[in-house]
Every structure is written in C-alpha cells, then in structure tokens.
Amino acid sequence: MENQQITPAQTALNFGIILGAYNIIVGIMLYFLDMHYQNDQTVGIINIVITVVIIMAGIIQFKKANEGFLSLTEALKIGLGVAVISAVLGIIYYFILTGILDPETLDKSLEFQKQKMLSSDPEMSVESANKFVDMQRKFSSPLIISAFAIVGSLFIGFVISLIGGLIVKKSRPE
C-alpha cells in the first residue's frame, strides 16, 4: 500500500471542525446558562487557550505525519485554515442563535454592557451610556459582526501559527 501524504488543508479542515465544534458547544452551554450575551473575560481567556492548543495540535500532528518535517508556510496554512473554518462554523451558530434561539441577544448584550458601564463609572450619565449603546448598535449588523469574526479569527490564527510554526518547524535536509 502507498503511504498517503496528508496535506495542510486536510489537517486544517479536521482541526477547524474540532475548534468550531468546541466553540459551538461552549456557545450552547452559555445560552442555557443565560450568559451568552455577557462576553465574560474568563470564558474568553479559556477560549483563547483552547484555540492555541487545537491549532498547535494540528501543526504538531501534521509534522508527525510528514516524517517530522514542517515548514513555516505549512504551519501558517494550517493555523489560518483552522481559524477560518472555526470562524465560519461560529458565524453559522451565531445566526442560529440570533435568528432562532434568542433573537433578543443583541439587545440583551447592549443593555448588559450599558449597566456594566454605569456601575463601573458612577459619574457617567445615562445619556452618555445610551449614546455609546446607540453607536455600538450601528456596528452590530450581521454582516459587520461576521466580518469582524473572520478577521479577528484570522489574526489570532496567524499569530498562533506563526509563533508555533517558528518553534516547531524543521526543514528537510537538502
């Protein structure tokens, strides 16, 4: 039997689906806990750590399947691929959340942020907080949110795969 070569695209697809599924599961858990609109900092940090772990697992698995060799370009392809696939899956979940499960998510999120601002800064007027919320609402269309999700995910995926690729890369001898 021939030894089939695994490609960066195959690895990115597999690990992108894993990361996307993880993000959807966390999103569903937060929805059932009625915390999906709060943008909790702890959840964000945990999600970044898990993202690093999954992207690095993909890069390392590719390196092992590639006879221990990995170029920086391959690492970047894997990291960016994982990031974009998980972002697309996350956007699909977001549309299901805001369109079917809880159409009031945006309003809840903006009201939560307004209350948080008012409680953290007692001197802030309600009018100032309302102006901030109105400005945020303008930048909260599904298209803008999707664009920010993809760009942000690609940036994080690039940074993780660049650093990880520089650490674990190993060139083939000439």
Side-chain angles (χ1 to χ4, degrees), residues 46-135:
I46 292 169
N47 285 343
I48 289 175
V49 169
I50 297 297
T51 300
V52 170
V53 168
I54 291 174
I55 290 175
M56 286 307 300
I59 290 170
I60 290 168
Q61 179 183 343
F62 178 82
K63 181 179 176 182
K64 286 180 183 175
N66 200 25
E67 301 170 357
F69 298 109
L70 173 78
S71 70
L72 182 58
T73 304
E74 291 167 331
L76 289 170
K77 286 179 186 177
I78 293 166
L80 291 172
V82 169
V84 77
I85 290 165
S86 68
V88 168
L89 291 174
I91 290 167
I92 292 168
Y93 168 72
Y94 178 77
F95 285 132
I96 291 170
L97 173 69
T98 58
I100 298 169
L101 297 175
D102 187 7
E104 302 298 316
T105 298
L106 178 60
D107 293 332
K108 288 178 181 177
S109 177
L110 293 174
E111 183 61 29
F112 181 80
Q113 290 176 16
K114 180 174 124 179
Q115 294 304 323
K116 198 172 176 181
M117 283 189 308
L118 290 171
S119 67
S120 67
D121 185 3
E123 295 180 17
M124 177 180 268
S125 69
V126 174
E127 293 81 27
S128 296
N130 286 336
K131 284 181 185 177
F132 179 78
V133 167
D134 289 340
M135 187 186 315

Side-chain angles (χ1 to χ4, degrees), residues 1 15 18 42 47 73 90 93 102 105 107 140 158 162 166:
M1 293 237 156
F15 284 87
I18 291 169
T42 305
N47 285 343
T73 304
Y93 168 72
D102 187 7
T105 298
D107 293 332
S140 297
F158 176 77
L162 176 65
L166 288 171

